[in-house]
Amino acid sequence: MSSCWGNKVKISIFGESHGKGIGVVVDNLPAGEKIDMEQVLMHMGRRAPGKDKTATPRLEKDLPQILSGMLNDTTTGTPMCAVIENTNTRSGDYGNLLTAPRPGHGDYPGFIRYNGFNDIRGGGHFSGRLTAPIVFAGSVCRQILEKKGIKIASHIQSVGKVCDSKFNPLKVDESLIDSLNKQSFPVIDPSSEPKMREYIENARMSQDSTGGVIECVATGVPAGIGSPMFGGVENLISSIMFGIPAVKGIEFGAGFAITEMLGSQANDQYAYDENGKVVTLSNNNGGITGGITNGMPILFRIAVKPTPSISKPQQTVDLTKHENTELVIHGRHDPCIVPRATVVAESALAIALINLL
Amino acid sequence: MSSCWGNKVKISIFGESHGKGIGVVVDNLPAGEKIDMEQVLMHMGRRAPGKDKTATPRLEKDLPQILSGMLNDTTTGTPMCAVIENTNTRSGDYGNLLTAPRPGHGDYPGFIRYNGFNDIRGGGHFSGRLTAPIVFAGSVCRQILEKKGIKIASHIQSVGKVCDSKFNPLKVDESLIDSLNKQSFPVIDPSSEPKMREYIENARMSQDSTGGVIECVATGVPAGIGSPMFGGVENLISSIMFGIPAVKGIEFGAGFAITEMLGSQANDQYAYDENGKVVTLSNNNGGITGGITNGMPILFRIAVKPTPSISKPQQTVDLTKHENTELVIHGRHDPCIVPRATVVAESALAIALINLL
Amino acid sequence: MSSCWGNKVKISIFGESHGKGIGVVVDNLPAGEKIDMEQVLMHMGRRAPGKDKTATPRLEKDLPQILSGMLNDTTTGTPMCAVIENTNTRSGDYGNLLTAPRPGHGDYPGFIRYNGFNDIRGGGHFSGRLTAPIVFAGSVCRQILEKKGIKIASHIQSVGKVCDSKFNPLKVDESLIDSLNKQSFPVIDPSSEPKMREYIENARMSQDSTGGVIECVATGVPAGIGSPMFGGVENLISSIMFGIPAVKGIEFGAGFAITEMLGSQANDQYAYDENGKVVTLSNNNGGITGGITNGMPILFRIAVKPTPSISKPQQTVDLTKHENTELVIHGRHDPCIVPRATVVAESALAIALINLL
Amino acid sequence: MSSCWGNKVKISIFGESHGKGIGVVVDNLPAGEKIDMEQVLMHMGRRAPGKDKTATPRLEKDLPQILSGMLNDTTTGTPMCAVIENTNTRSGDYGNLLTAPRPGHGDYPGFIRYNGFNDIRGGGHFSGRLTAPIVFAGSVCRQILEKKGIKIASHIQSVGKVCDSKFNPLKVDESLIDSLNKQSFPVIDPSSEPKMREYIENARMSQDSTGGVIECVATGVPAGIGSPMFGGVENLISSIMFGIPAVKGIEFGAGFAITEMLGSQANDQYAYDENGKVVTLSNNNGGITGGITNGMPILFRIAVKPTPSISKPQQTVDLTKHENTELVIHGRHDPCIVPRATVVAESALAIALINLL
């Protein structure tokens, strides 16, 4: 299914960038869960465009309308639908002709996939705007998880070659999680932010863009969650993460670096901690072995490619004239979507985890 | 579902390492496909243990018995079941007590997940032996794909820090594919093999193990396959790849390295080639944008961690005595499963692709 | 999944009777299908309440808003969402206490299922109003099927003990189908209507209600559709039909009556017709054997129970006081929902068939 | 998926009548469930052919081999596979030509569906023999349900026009359930059996066959199980029941007869019983309203058509010569499969219920 995900709590996302609205149906949520809508809006604000660090996280124009599934701020247990109206709808007929597909975007593959009938205005269903419903759904799921002691956070691990500190893989402090959860430019080491912003600004000034890596963590997930072989935690998390536009890689624990370790370094050895709980002495497996959680923090990183929309001239094809051409994309573009993508990744993680529990 | 995968062609894998047998049901294969069983056995031989490079690829003891779904070497279209008998079955009652879980294995999470009732002998359902049914199913799917012009190959990109050449992301020669498909230690640059083998041997001599990276490619996949947002090619491939034990990461195209590029470097610009076909001038997206194929080679890499079973003493817990203890794993272990895992990855890719087409 | 259905074209229905709105997401429709929205509204009108035979089929208040998936009246191929606003929304807090569950309704089971948190106003998500999104989605699918030569119709086979003629199981005339498709009280034999209406009116006058049987047909479905054992046409059709509130039975072809035939009577013998097409000489199997279509009309009947909401006093329990009590349901109720349910059944059939093709 | 069913506990059935073997994979069973294999074999014996009432229920030739998922007669929680060898396998090449499709069978639709490549010997994958794996899987699930206080039974409601008594819809005695569970010709009123047997014998003597109705019950299912709209108990039960060959209808509670009742008769009114439990005073809804259980017995009936294989000459087509022809089916055939189908229905019900709990 193209835009559906989940087997216990299922999300079904709809909408095109310039249609009447976008949104999500969340089916099979548990009944009776009180949801703090301000928190949901706070997270949606972290994803919303057109802000900088000091801006209010609440943007009226992206306010979700909850059509069903909530009563007195409490889940009813029947399907929840939230709609975000598009305010940039143009009425009337218009040409939907794709001439010059933008490199790095879904334009050309989408043109083939949909025989030219998909809505290409603003990226249509491929638009990054479609991550807003993920954040809505994920922010609801996240609150349900929090009541079970599960916390989720992420930070910008790197922008281009500028790196932040990493999470302590053995224990992530609650205070750090809480602090990251409120930021629209979440970094662990505050000194990373100006350097990253400068790097982004440089890219922007040269009519270019930059990508980065996001590191995500979930703490408090009990041991024994997930199933071999294809019902594993890594299978599920990766299958939803690649639904976030621009994600090109995912690695759990030490990830690709584990391939350069010896087994004796890579293996997470066990011990009882002071409370008699089984812990591991390292966390190169990101809290998961055999597809199942071991009670340590779930830790992974995703690679986010540079924003494909850049002002620099690019080579492309003219699909109507069947000839090569040059493309210049006009308008203001986000030179780096990594900061806004952090809360999207957290939300997708929340949706994945609620399906595993 | 734990060991089921697929929505068009579905595989359902079963078996434990020391049970009566392991196998797979492949449901909903197209009818009327002639299958060359020698080819299937050749690929299964590439995965089979206990061989070296010069050994016969056909190991009688891992011969799959096809119980259904084939008639006159042709698919009937109804479910195909293949069973591989275990010859190491011990009869009678016995203790199934897990005392000291092996670091890096699924022992401890499995113990929690199954309340201690899962079969732990030889790893049970977590055993790498369970990849044999994947290779069986994938080798059948692969032949069906080949008739549509789709070819699959992989090579050992690295073992520890020893690297092979990479695939040309724009075009992978058929002769290279054909050659790699026959090897049990597939590398592009033949000079990599002795260096890798030496590295592995060194790990083995120090009672240790090593991991590596496998690079996979599929050529001939037409543009327009896959769907945003969660029905994308990356979502599906990653969700099956993490079903292969020891895989800790996956990256498509340039993968994590794309995060250090600028947009102008990362974007795969379009042009018409000499045959009037739309191609890209680079392939940093691994043949996929917006979740959909663009007609270029599908290219990805998976990170395989070092074999967790090592002879070196390791710290672990005694779950019956509730105390810390030391573990020494006896017996001969594969110091590096990367070569054998190549054909498993190729097979999983074939299963993923047949579900997308 | 509670309110999701389908594996190729998936519908996800949401909404509660007194919430802000109800609707449906239809995922994975083919792209480029021109949809006549007047036709969709005509069918929605056949289901809409508050009309009689002569009323306009288009009721403004149930107009679906299409938020996505359509452009220039053509499917984009990405998810289609339609929302129908509820005009009876009451704002503010209110009690959601269920005291006396109505016999025959989902009140009591829903109370247990959702721990009392589901919205019970007007039946909430159990309301017959939730069939409007089915009709929307089904009416879109139906037009796509029609272009493939597949036509769908239904008629009121019986109301209480008053029966209509039956479809000719071997061939249903197009003119009959077209005529039934326009009626909000579809019967084959026009003389049935006044008798049925009288029967309904008598029930209403005695503060009671009545049920009936709906007979459905799909013509033009090619042979070879469906799969044994659980992917059969009967499996899929039945699994969606029981999603229509009040349906208590389904039978294909001769249905329960086939059990009283001998094999020689029940078997549908084959012959070539004048056009060299394989046909059957009877159609006791309703166009399906072995779960697969044989090219004859698909024919089935569903049993619709009497409307549970009646004015007559009924015995029930007071769940707050934990004692038996008497319930009188006030307000105007539809004494027979069978006529309105015909188009719902047709729509559900369309959704089932588009998933099979 | 053709022969897969379930979303929590999934069965994947494979095999052809004359292939090497048939069987089932049961994925995601709970771990640690002790299974009495004698009980499983007893139920499989009730389905097995070639016996009469006095025969031993244990037929060695249909003994399932359990390849995985069981250890010390206890479920491991990982996939369970059971294989039943076919002893009638013929080796070597042979013709698989379908000339004259048997009326009432899946021959012709299967020929179209599989382009003539499916195994037609003995019905292939369409054979009633494929219900043996259902009984195996269901008999395992049934024992797990029994520990939760859920009991399942069925009886032959009718053969042709000869009827048995019906279940008391409000309460089915445990002793009756236990007694029916042991019978291979289960009837409530013992005097029905000789009349039914005579009816069947008469059909057989006239080279004909007969069908019947099976009534099923599940007691002890708690209220609150199932979900509107498509996750309802009726949706799930019906979707698996139509996987049993020859089933042409299903009705819950009063079923089709409810359409002739008035609402005041049909509605199941509520009351507290002597133990303070909410019960209904009638059970015309078969224990289900709004798709959810209400705590009363789940009750339904399925229509089983007469065995299509009869010795009487029948009209059919010669698909190779493209002309009409006459068919005489030789060999001994079961003139009535209804008795053997009872335990198949019970088993399918067990599989459905374990997916709902």
Side-chain angles (χ1 to χ4, degrees):
Chain A
M1 277 306 125
S2 64
S3 301
C4 298
W5 195 92
N7 53 16
K8 283 181 192 146
V9 172
K10 189 181 292 275
I11 59 167
S12 181
I13 291 180
F14 59 86
E16 284 117 357
S17 187
H18 284 53
K20 285 204 182 140
I22 63 174
V24 61
V25 180
V26 191
D27 192 294
N28 225 22
L29 280 171
E33 300 283 350
K34 192 101 185 172
I35 302 300
D36 178 348
M37 214 33 76
E38 284 301 310
Q39 283 285 322
V40 173
L41 295 176
M42 190 271 287
H43 286 304
M44 295 191 74
R46 291 173 60 204
R47 194 214 66 88
K51 64 176 184 326
D52 72 11
K53 197 189 164 189
T54 59
T56 169
R58 181 156 168 183
L59 288 158
E60 296 307 320
K61 68 170 182 275
D62 266 353
L63 272 190
Q65 272 240 39
I66 298 174
L67 300 186
S68 66
M70 293 278 282
L71 199 61
N72 301 330
D73 291 326
T74 305
T75 57
T76 61
T78 52
M80 180 182 296
C81 179
V83 170
I84 303 164
E85 269 187 59
N86 288 335
T87 51
N88 50 3
T89 311
R90 292 176 248 160
S91 58
D93 235 8
Y94 68 97
N96 188 40
L97 295 176
L98 175 70
T99 46
R102 295 166 300 168
H105 274 286
D107 295 356
Y108 172 69
F111 176 80
I112 303 295
R113 166 74 175 78
Y114 299 111
N115 295 313
F117 288 104
N118 58 314
D119 187 351
I120 60 164
R121 297 170 299 166
H125 189 62
F126 292 90
S127 166
R129 184 165 163 71
L130 268 293
T131 57
I134 295 180
V135 177
F136 173 82
S139 299
V140 169
C141 294
R142 184 173 188 148
Q143 292 190 29
I144 299 171
L145 293 171
E146 274 168 13
K147 288 176 209 162
K148 296 174 193 283
I150 296 170
K151 295 210 157 201
I152 287 170
S154 75
H155 71 107
I156 307 171
Q157 171 67 61
S158 65
V159 165
K161 287 171 185 163
V162 186
C163 293
D164 186 23
S165 310
K166 288 196 173 181
F167 282 126
N168 173 355
L170 296 178
K171 187 171 183 348
V172 183
D173 284 332
E174 287 219 2
S175 60
L176 175 60
I177 290 178
D178 292 345
S179 152
L180 291 172
N181 275 346
K182 291 183 191 118
Q183 296 177 41
S184 54
F185 200 104
V187 286
I188 297 177
D189 174 359
S191 73
S192 316
E193 182 172 345
K195 286 178 244 165
M196 288 175 172
R197 285 195 181 273
E198 189 191 345
Y199 190 93
I200 296 170
E201 183 63 12
N202 285 343
R204 195 181 69 80
M205 293 302 284
S206 55
Q207 300 188 303
D208 220 319
S209 64
T210 178
V213 173
I214 293 169
E215 189 178 43
C216 280
V217 71
T219 62
V221 182
I225 305 301
S227 297
M229 309 177 55
F230 306 111
V233 178
E234 290 144 320
N235 309 62
L236 263 76
I237 290 178
S238 68
S239 80
I240 193 168
M241 287 295 153
F242 282 110
I244 305 174
V247 171
K248 295 306 287 184
I250 186 165
E251 57 177 14
F252 292 84
F256 279 87
I258 207 172
T259 67
E260 302 192 0
M261 296 178 183
L262 292 170
S264 55
Q265 300 163 316
N267 281 350
D268 299 315
Q269 304 186 43
Y270 293 104
Y272 282 104
D273 74 0
E274 60 270 25
N275 305 312
K277 192 194 157 199
V278 174
V279 296
T280 59
L281 304 175
S282 56
N283 190 5
N284 294 315
N285 283 286
I288 306 157
T289 43
I292 309 178
T293 55
N294 62 13
M296 298 300 289
I298 295 180
L299 212 78
F300 64 92
R301 277 170 298 282
I302 54 173
V304 179
K305 71 178 183 183
T307 322
S309 289
I310 55 174
S311 319
K312 270 195 177 159
Q314 297 180 90
Q315 256 193 273
T316 188
V317 290
D318 186 316
L319 291 166
T320 44
K321 296 187 186 156
H322 291 279
E323 61 186 25
N324 293 337
T325 185
E326 198 183 77
L327 175 72
V328 176
I329 304 175
H330 298 290
R332 289 188 53 199
H333 300 102
D334 218 338
C336 183
I337 58 161
V338 180
R340 292 172 55 199
T342 55
V343 69
V344 181
E346 296 164 20
S347 302
L349 176 56
I351 297 165
L353 289 179
I354 212 167
N355 270 280
L356 279 160
L357 288 166
Chain B
M1 277 307 122
S2 63
S3 302
C4 297
W5 195 92
N7 53 14
K8 283 184 191 144
V9 172
K10 190 181 292 275
I11 58 167
S12 181
I13 290 179
F14 58 88
E16 284 118 357
S17 187
H18 284 54
K20 284 205 182 139
I22 63 174
V24 61
V25 181
V26 190
D27 193 294
N28 223 23
L29 280 171
E33 299 283 349
K34 192 101 186 171
I35 303 299
D36 177 347
M37 211 38 71
E38 285 300 311
Q39 283 286 321
V40 172
L41 295 175
M42 188 271 287
H43 285 304
M44 295 192 75
R46 290 173 60 204
R47 193 215 66 90
K51 66 178 181 325
D52 71 11
K53 198 189 161 187
T54 57
T56 166
R58 180 156 170 183
L59 287 158
E60 295 307 321
K61 68 172 182 273
D62 268 353
L63 272 190
Q65 272 240 38
I66 298 174
L67 300 186
S68 65
M70 292 278 282
L71 199 60
N72 301 331
D73 292 326
T74 306
T75 57
T76 60
T78 54
M80 181 183 297
C81 178
V83 170
I84 303 165
E85 269 187 60
N86 288 336
T87 51
N88 50 3
T89 312
R90 291 177 249 156
S91 58
D93 233 7
Y94 67 95
N96 190 40
L97 294 175
L98 175 70
T99 46
R102 295 167 300 168
H105 274 285
D107 294 355
Y108 173 69
F111 176 81
I112 303 295
R113 165 74 175 77
Y114 298 111
N115 295 314
F117 287 104
N118 59 313
D119 187 350
I120 60 165
R121 298 170 299 167
H125 189 61
F126 293 89
S127 166
R129 184 163 165 72
L130 268 292
T131 56
I134 295 180
V135 177
F136 173 83
S139 299
V140 169
C141 294
R142 185 173 187 148
Q143 292 190 29
I144 299 171
L145 294 170
E146 274 168 15
K147 288 177 208 158
K148 297 174 192 285
I150 296 170
K151 294 211 160 199
I152 286 170
S154 75
H155 70 107
I156 308 171
Q157 170 68 61
S158 65
V159 166
K161 287 172 185 162
V162 186
C163 294
D164 186 24
S165 312
K166 290 195 172 182
F167 281 126
N168 173 356
L170 297 177
K171 185 170 184 346
V172 182
D173 283 333
E174 287 218 5
S175 60
L176 175 59
I177 290 177
D178 292 345
S179 153
L180 292 172
N181 276 347
K182 290 184 193 117
Q183 297 178 40
S184 54
F185 199 105
V187 287
I188 297 177
D189 173 358
S191 74
S192 315
E193 182 172 345
K195 288 178 243 165
M196 287 176 173
R197 286 195 181 272
E198 189 190 346
Y199 189 93
I200 297 169
E201 183 63 11
N202 285 343
R204 194 180 70 78
M205 293 301 284
S206 55
Q207 301 187 299
D208 221 321
S209 64
T210 181
V213 174
I214 294 169
E215 189 177 44
C216 280
V217 70
T219 63
V221 182
I225 304 300
S227 297
M229 307 175 56
F230 307 110
V233 178
E234 291 143 320
N235 308 61
L236 262 76
I237 289 178
S238 68
S239 80
I240 193 168
M241 286 296 154
F242 283 110
I244 305 173
V247 171
K248 296 306 290 184
I250 187 166
E251 57 176 15
F252 291 83
F256 280 86
I258 207 173
T259 68
E260 302 191 1
M261 298 178 183
L262 292 170
S264 54
Q265 300 163 317
N267 282 349
D268 299 317
Q269 304 186 46
Y270 293 104
Y272 282 105
D273 74 1
E274 62 271 27
N275 305 313
K277 192 194 157 201
V278 174
V279 295
T280 60
L281 305 176
S282 55
N283 190 6
N284 296 313
N285 284 286
I288 306 158
T289 44
I292 309 178
T293 55
N294 62 14
M296 298 300 288
I298 295 180
L299 212 77
F300 64 93
R301 276 170 300 281
I302 55 173
V304 179
K305 71 177 182 184
T307 322
S309 289
I310 55 173
S311 319
K312 270 195 178 159
Q314 296 181 91
Q315 258 192 272
T316 188
V317 290
D318 186 315
L319 291 166
T320 45
K321 295 188 188 158
H322 292 279
E323 59 185 29
N324 294 335
T325 187
E326 201 182 77
L327 176 73
V328 176
I329 304 176
H330 298 290
R332 290 188 53 200
H333 301 103
D334 217 336
C336 183
I337 58 163
V338 179
R340 292 171 56 199
T342 54
V343 68
V344 181
E346 295 164 20
S347 302
L349 175 57
I351 297 166
L353 289 178
I354 212 167
N355 270 279
L356 279 160
L357 289 165
Chain C
M1 277 307 122
S2 63
S3 302
C4 298
W5 195 92
N7 53 14
K8 284 184 190 142
V9 172
K10 190 182 291 275
I11 58 166
S12 181
I13 291 180
F14 59 88
E16 284 118 357
S17 186
H18 283 55
K20 284 204 182 140
I22 63 173
V24 61
V25 181
V26 190
D27 193 294
N28 224 23
L29 280 171
E33 299 284 348
K34 193 102 185 172
I35 302 300
D36 178 347
M37 213 36 74
E38 285 300 311
Q39 282 286 322
V40 173
L41 295 175
M42 188 272 286
H43 285 304
M44 295 190 74
R46 290 174 59 203
R47 192 214 67 90
K51 64 177 184 328
D52 71 13
K53 198 188 162 187
T54 57
T56 166
R58 179 156 169 183
L59 287 158
E60 296 305 321
K61 68 170 182 275
D62 267 354
L63 272 189
Q65 271 240 39
I66 297 174
L67 300 187
S68 65
M70 291 277 283
L71 199 62
N72 301 330
D73 292 325
T74 305
T75 57
T76 61
T78 54
M80 180 182 297
C81 179
V83 171
I84 303 164
E85 269 186 61
N86 287 336
T87 50
N88 50 2
T89 311
R90 291 176 248 158
S91 58
D93 235 5
Y94 67 97
N96 189 41
L97 295 175
L98 174 70
T99 46
R102 295 166 299 169
H105 274 286
D107 295 355
Y108 173 69
F111 177 80
I112 303 294
R113 166 74 175 78
Y114 299 111
N115 295 312
F117 287 103
N118 59 312
D119 187 350
I120 60 164
R121 298 171 298 168
H125 189 62
F126 292 89
S127 166
R129 184 163 165 72
L130 268 293
T131 56
I134 296 179
V135 177
F136 174 83
S139 299
V140 169
C141 295
R142 184 174 187 146
Q143 291 190 29
I144 299 172
L145 293 171
E146 274 168 14
K147 289 176 207 159
K148 297 174 192 285
I150 295 170
K151 295 211 159 200
I152 287 170
S154 75
H155 72 107
I156 308 171
Q157 170 68 61
S158 66
V159 166
K161 288 173 185 161
V162 187
C163 294
D164 186 23
S165 310
K166 290 195 173 183
F167 282 126
N168 173 356
L170 297 177
K171 186 169 184 345
V172 183
D173 283 333
E174 287 218 4
S175 59
L176 175 59
I177 291 177
D178 292 346
S179 152
L180 291 172
N181 275 347
K182 290 184 193 118
Q183 296 178 42
S184 53
F185 200 104
V187 286
I188 296 177
D189 174 358
S191 74
S192 316
E193 183 172 345
K195 287 178 243 164
M196 288 176 173
R197 287 194 181 273
E198 188 190 347
Y199 190 93
I200 296 170
E201 184 62 12
N202 286 344
R204 195 180 69 79
M205 293 301 285
S206 55
Q207 301 187 298
D208 221 320
S209 64
T210 179
V213 173
I214 294 169
E215 189 177 44
C216 281
V217 72
T219 62
V221 181
I225 305 300
S227 296
M229 307 175 51
F230 307 111
V233 178
E234 291 144 320
N235 308 62
L236 263 78
I237 290 177
S238 68
S239 80
I240 194 168
M241 286 297 153
F242 282 110
I244 305 174
V247 171
K248 296 306 289 183
I250 186 165
E251 57 176 15
F252 291 83
F256 279 86
I258 206 173
T259 68
E260 300 191 4
M261 298 177 182
L262 291 171
S264 55
Q265 299 164 316
N267 282 348
D268 299 315
Q269 304 186 46
Y270 292 105
Y272 283 105
D273 74 0
E274 62 271 24
N275 305 313
K277 193 194 156 200
V278 174
V279 296
T280 60
L281 304 176
S282 55
N283 190 5
N284 295 314
N285 283 286
I288 306 158
T289 44
I292 309 177
T293 55
N294 63 14
M296 298 300 289
I298 294 180
L299 212 76
F300 64 93
R301 277 169 300 282
I302 55 173
V304 179
K305 71 177 182 183
T307 323
S309 289
I310 55 173
S311 319
K312 270 197 177 155
Q314 297 181 91
Q315 256 193 273
T316 188
V317 290
D318 187 316
L319 291 167
T320 45
K321 296 188 187 159
H322 292 280
E323 60 184 30
N324 294 336
T325 186
E326 200 183 77
L327 175 74
V328 176
I329 304 176
H330 298 290
R332 290 189 52 200
H333 300 102
D334 218 338
C336 184
I337 58 164
V338 179
R340 291 173 57 200
T342 54
V343 68
V344 181
E346 296 165 19
S347 302
L349 176 56
I351 297 166
L353 289 179
I354 211 167
N355 270 280
L356 279 160
L357 289 166
Chain D
M1 275 310 124
S2 62
S3 301
C4 298
W5 195 93
N7 52 16
K8 282 179 192 148
V9 172
K10 189 181 293 273
I11 58 167
S12 181
I13 291 179
F14 59 87
E16 284 118 358
S17 187
H18 284 55
K20 284 204 182 140
I22 63 173
V24 62
V25 181
V26 190
D27 191 296
N28 225 23
L29 280 171
E33 300 283 351
K34 192 100 185 173
I35 302 299
D36 178 347
M37 212 36 73
E38 284 301 311
Q39 283 285 321
V40 173
L41 295 176
M42 189 271 288
H43 286 303
M44 294 191 76
R46 291 173 59 202
R47 192 214 67 88
K51 63 177 181 327
D52 72 11
K53 200 190 162 189
T54 58
T56 168
R58 182 157 168 182
L59 287 158
E60 296 307 319
K61 68 171 183 276
D62 266 354
L63 271 189
Q65 272 240 39
I66 298 175
L67 300 186
S68 66
M70 291 278 282
L71 199 59
N72 302 330
D73 291 325
T74 305
T75 57
T76 61
T78 52
M80 181 183 295
C81 178
V83 170
I84 303 164
E85 269 187 61
N86 288 335
T87 51
N88 49 3
T89 312
R90 290 178 250 158
S91 58
D93 234 6
Y94 67 97
N96 189 40
L97 295 174
L98 175 69
T99 46
R102 295 166 299 168
H105 274 287
D107 294 356
Y108 173 68
F111 176 80
I112 304 294
R113 165 75 175 77
Y114 299 111
N115 294 314
F117 287 103
N118 58 313
D119 187 350
I120 60 164
R121 297 170 300 165
H125 189 62
F126 293 89
S127 166
R129 184 164 164 72
L130 269 292
T131 58
I134 295 180
V135 176
F136 173 82
S139 299
V140 169
C141 294
R142 183 173 189 148
Q143 291 190 30
I144 299 171
L145 294 170
E146 274 168 15
K147 289 177 208 161
K148 297 175 194 282
I150 296 169
K151 293 210 160 200
I152 287 170
S154 75
H155 71 108
I156 307 171
Q157 170 68 61
S158 64
V159 165
K161 288 171 185 164
V162 186
C163 293
D164 187 21
S165 311
K166 288 196 174 183
F167 281 125
N168 172 356
L170 297 178
K171 186 168 182 354
V172 182
D173 284 332
E174 287 218 3
S175 61
L176 175 59
I177 290 178
D178 292 345
S179 152
L180 292 171
N181 275 347
K182 291 185 193 116
Q183 296 176 42
S184 53
F185 200 103
V187 287
I188 297 176
D189 174 358
S191 74
S192 316
E193 181 171 344
K195 286 178 244 164
M196 287 176 172
R197 285 196 182 273
E198 189 192 344
Y199 190 94
I200 296 169
E201 183 61 13
N202 285 343
R204 195 181 70 80
M205 293 302 284
S206 56
Q207 299 188 302
D208 220 320
S209 64
T210 179
V213 174
I214 294 170
E215 188 177 42
C216 280
V217 72
T219 63
V221 182
I225 305 300
S227 296
M229 308 177 53
F230 307 111
V233 178
E234 290 144 319
N235 309 62
L236 262 77
I237 290 178
S238 68
S239 79
I240 193 168
M241 287 296 153
F242 282 110
I244 305 173
V247 171
K248 296 306 287 186
I250 186 166
E251 57 177 13
F252 291 84
F256 279 86
I258 208 173
T259 68
E260 301 192 3
M261 298 178 183
L262 292 171
S264 55
Q265 300 163 315
N267 282 350
D268 299 316
Q269 305 187 44
Y270 292 105
Y272 283 104
D273 74 2
E274 61 271 26
N275 304 312
K277 194 195 156 198
V278 174
V279 295
T280 60
L281 304 176
S282 56
N283 190 6
N284 295 315
N285 283 286
I288 307 157
T289 44
I292 309 178
T293 55
N294 61 14
M296 299 300 289
I298 295 180
L299 213 76
F300 65 92
R301 275 170 300 283
I302 54 173
V304 179
K305 73 178 182 184
T307 322
S309 288
I310 55 174
S311 318
K312 270 194 176 159
Q314 297 179 91
Q315 256 193 274
T316 188
V317 290
D318 187 315
L319 291 165
T320 44
K321 295 189 186 156
H322 292 278
E323 61 184 28
N324 294 336
T325 185
E326 199 182 77
L327 175 73
V328 176
I329 304 176
H330 298 290
R332 290 188 52 199
H333 301 101
D334 218 338
C336 182
I337 58 161
V338 179
R340 292 172 56 199
T342 55
V343 68
V344 181
E346 295 165 20
S347 302
L349 176 56
I351 297 166
L353 289 179
I354 211 167
N355 270 280
L356 280 160
L357 289 166

